[in-house]
Amino acid sequence: MKKIEPAQIATLIANIGVIAGIVFLGFELHQNNQLLDAEARTNRAEFLWETHRLPATDEELASLILKAGGADELTELEAYQINEFWLGVLFNFELAHSQMPEDELRSSANRFRGYFATRPDLRNTWANESGRFSSEFANWVDNELVSQ
């Protein structure tokens, strides 16, 4: 029987330690990716919440949104304000669109499809400002939201 040298035992233990370290690193990377995904979902949820919170807590903005959705004529200032509101929403949605998983994007698309169907002010903003967005996002909005 062959005698095992202490150096061989040390090498074997070191190799097992390296393999265990690699497995542990893989586990840590997996956990970190899960944490980053959860943080991204939370950030997108906060964006959606902020979009709804603003008109819910800002009486002037809520009045303006209601007026823009109705038959009343907007002043130049009001038209500018509502356009900027919708631009902000659309710019945030463009960012979210580039980061969302497909199932989350479908859910948000359903919500925005409803906005485009019922909000002439949003449709006007999109018609006048769509060139400010990436061509990929603009095509997606045109095909998935506006034309539906």
Side-chain angles (χ1 to χ4, degrees):
M1 183 168 188
K2 185 176 176 187
K3 183 178 177 189
I4 299 177
E5 302 278 329
Q8 289 175 319
I9 293 173
T11 300
L12 180 64
I13 291 172
N15 289 340
I16 290 171
V18 167
I19 291 169
I22 291 170
V23 169
F24 180 73
L25 180 61
F27 178 73
E28 288 291 315
L29 285 173
H30 178 71
Q31 281 186 321
N32 191 44
N33 286 341
Q34 286 181 324
L35 182 62
L36 288 173
D37 287 344
E39 185 177 348
R41 283 190 304 276
T42 299
N43 288 340
R44 289 189 297 271
E46 285 176 9
F47 149 70
L48 291 171
W49 164 243
E50 185 68 15
T51 301
H52 292 280
R53 187 192 66 76
L54 281 172
T57 59
D58 184 334
E59 188 176 324
E60 185 178 335
L61 178 59
S63 295
L64 180 61
I65 291 170
L66 289 172
K67 184 176 181 181
D72 293 341
E73 194 70 27
L74 297 176
T75 67
E76 188 176 339
L77 175 62
E78 290 170 333
Y80 173 79
Q81 288 176 306
I82 200 70
N83 187 69
E84 291 300 307
F85 170 75
W86 285 121
L87 267 177
V89 170
L90 288 165
F91 281 129
N92 281 331
F93 192 48
E94 180 182 31
L95 178 62
H97 170 265
S98 68
Q99 299 174 353
M100 282 183 181
E102 188 63 34
D103 59 332
E104 200 174 326
L105 184 59
R106 271 193 306 277
S107 172
S108 291
N110 288 335
R111 189 177 312 107
F112 268 85
R113 202 172 288 118
Y115 294 158
F116 274 99
T118 60
R119 301 299 315 190
D121 46 325
L122 173 57
R123 290 192 303 274
N124 289 339
T125 296
W126 182 252
N128 296 327
E129 308 282 359
S130 62
R132 297 175 70 178
F133 297 89
S134 70
S135 59
E136 179 185 341
F137 179 70
N139 289 334
W140 183 80
V141 169
D142 287 337
N143 295 327
E144 296 293 326
L145 305 181
V146 176
S147 66
Q148 294 288 323

